[in-house]
Amino acid sequence: MDISRPDCPAPVQVAALYRFARLPHCADLRAPLQRLCLEEGIRGTLLLASEGINGTIAGSPEGISRVLDHIRALPDCADVDVKLSSASAMPFHRMKVRLKAEIVTMGQPDIDPAASAGTYVEPQDWNALIADPNTIVIDTRNDYEVAVGTFEGAIDPKTARFRDFPEWFRNERGRLLGSGTPPKVAMFCTGGIRCEKSTAFLKAEGVEDVYHLKGGILKYLETVPEEQSLWRGECFVFDQRVTIGHGLAQGTYTLCHACRRPVRADDIESPLYEPGVSCPACHHERSEGQRASYRERHRQELLAAEQGRAHVGMVNPRPDQDGH
């Protein structure tokens, strides 16, 4: 089937969700959840771990509603964080429910965000917090996400992966917090899940005055009027919309299907850009043999699209690190 013509009415509903909850028997939850998603024509990725659930799914509003009802019935998941948006076409190729060690990978097994996360700040109160000179603002996302957009004055850790954040903070702690009265620390991420872990990590490191944006960037862009916004740029999302802006409107970036990084309009003009094969950010990271393989895959995808079918080798953007 051609995924540009989804098997549910347009616009497609997209649900980004997560919940830190104790699910020691998460393996038993996988098959029923996968089966329901398939029955309802839902596509996307859901991650299950002993610490909770995380993911982004898309489909008809009725199908999404049934899946969310199922998730809310799981242990301690009645208050699952859900952000709904829409897409003009199905943004995913298939449905996957995966078992993971963590629903967002930080590599700090002793942290319990369900018990010790920082203080939530509502989107309408966020501007006042981050404008306070006694507050430092940290973007907990990865470098390729920050490059697309961030809050005015935010610190960019320049991390390639979320699991690099603890080492970065430990190395930079003295510079960030100083030797006197420590500042307030405000952190944010796409949908909120990385902030819950990063604030729990800082509290485990002895930092008490820690805050995070409730609902993440997505909720801020949805609720704060653009003329009042301190957000600059667009927000990378983990599906084929690639980026979104204020009001959760479709952004201007496309995706490099070789490295799955966002691609700007001027990147497309670069001689290092080749659709499905390379972009300026990844050209030097791949061998000519790898690019030849990507080139053949892209040719097969175009052929499948002409024939009105999905190609088995088609890929989604990077596995969702934020659920959102």
Side-chain angles (χ1 to χ4, degrees), residues 136 172-183:
I136 62 169
E172 298 293 324
R173 177 175 180 149
R175 182 181 66 85
L176 293 170
L177 303 183
S179 57
T181 302

Side-chain angles (χ1 to χ4, degrees), residues 281-321:
C282 75
H283 188 274
H284 69 285
E285 300 172 349
R286 305 293 194 268
S287 68
E288 184 51 44
Q290 287 174 309
R291 287 193 289 273
S293 175
Y294 298 158
R295 198 170 288 118
E296 175 59 21
R297 181 188 66 189
H298 185 59
R299 189 185 71 82
Q300 292 292 337
E301 290 172 356
L302 293 177
L303 180 61
E306 289 176 3
Q307 297 173 349
R309 58 182 175 84
H311 180 249
V312 294
M314 294 180 82
V315 293
N316 290 324
R318 294 169 183 260
D320 194 335
Q321 298 184 49

Side-chain angles (χ1 to χ4, degrees), residues 176-192:
L176 293 170
L177 303 183
S179 57
T181 302
K184 291 178 283 189
V185 180
M187 296 194 283
F188 64 93
C189 56
T190 310

Side-chain angles (χ1 to χ4, degrees), residues 14-34:
V14 180
L17 61 99
Y18 78 91
R19 173 70 176 173
F20 283 104
R22 294 176 179 88
L23 302 176
H25 305 294
C26 59
D28 298 335
L29 307 177
R30 180 183 178 276
L33 184 53
Q34 175 87 27

Side-chain angles (χ1 to χ4, degrees), residues 8 61 97 103 112 128 134 141-142 147 155 157 167 214-215 292 309:
C8 54
V97 180
I103 58 173
D112 184 4
N134 294 318
R141 301 171 304 148
N142 298 329
I155 296 168
E167 181 181 6
K214 188 174 183 179
R309 58 182 175 84

Side-chain angles (χ1 to χ4, degrees), residues 51 101-111 161-167 170 197 201:
E51 67 177 8
E102 300 177 74
I103 58 173
V104 58
T105 303
M106 190 184 228
Q108 301 291 316
D110 296 331
I111 291 175
R161 305 172 302 167
F162 184 52
R163 68 182 306 136
D164 298 333
F165 182 85
E167 181 181 6
R170 286 167 178 156
K197 262 202 171 175
F201 167 73

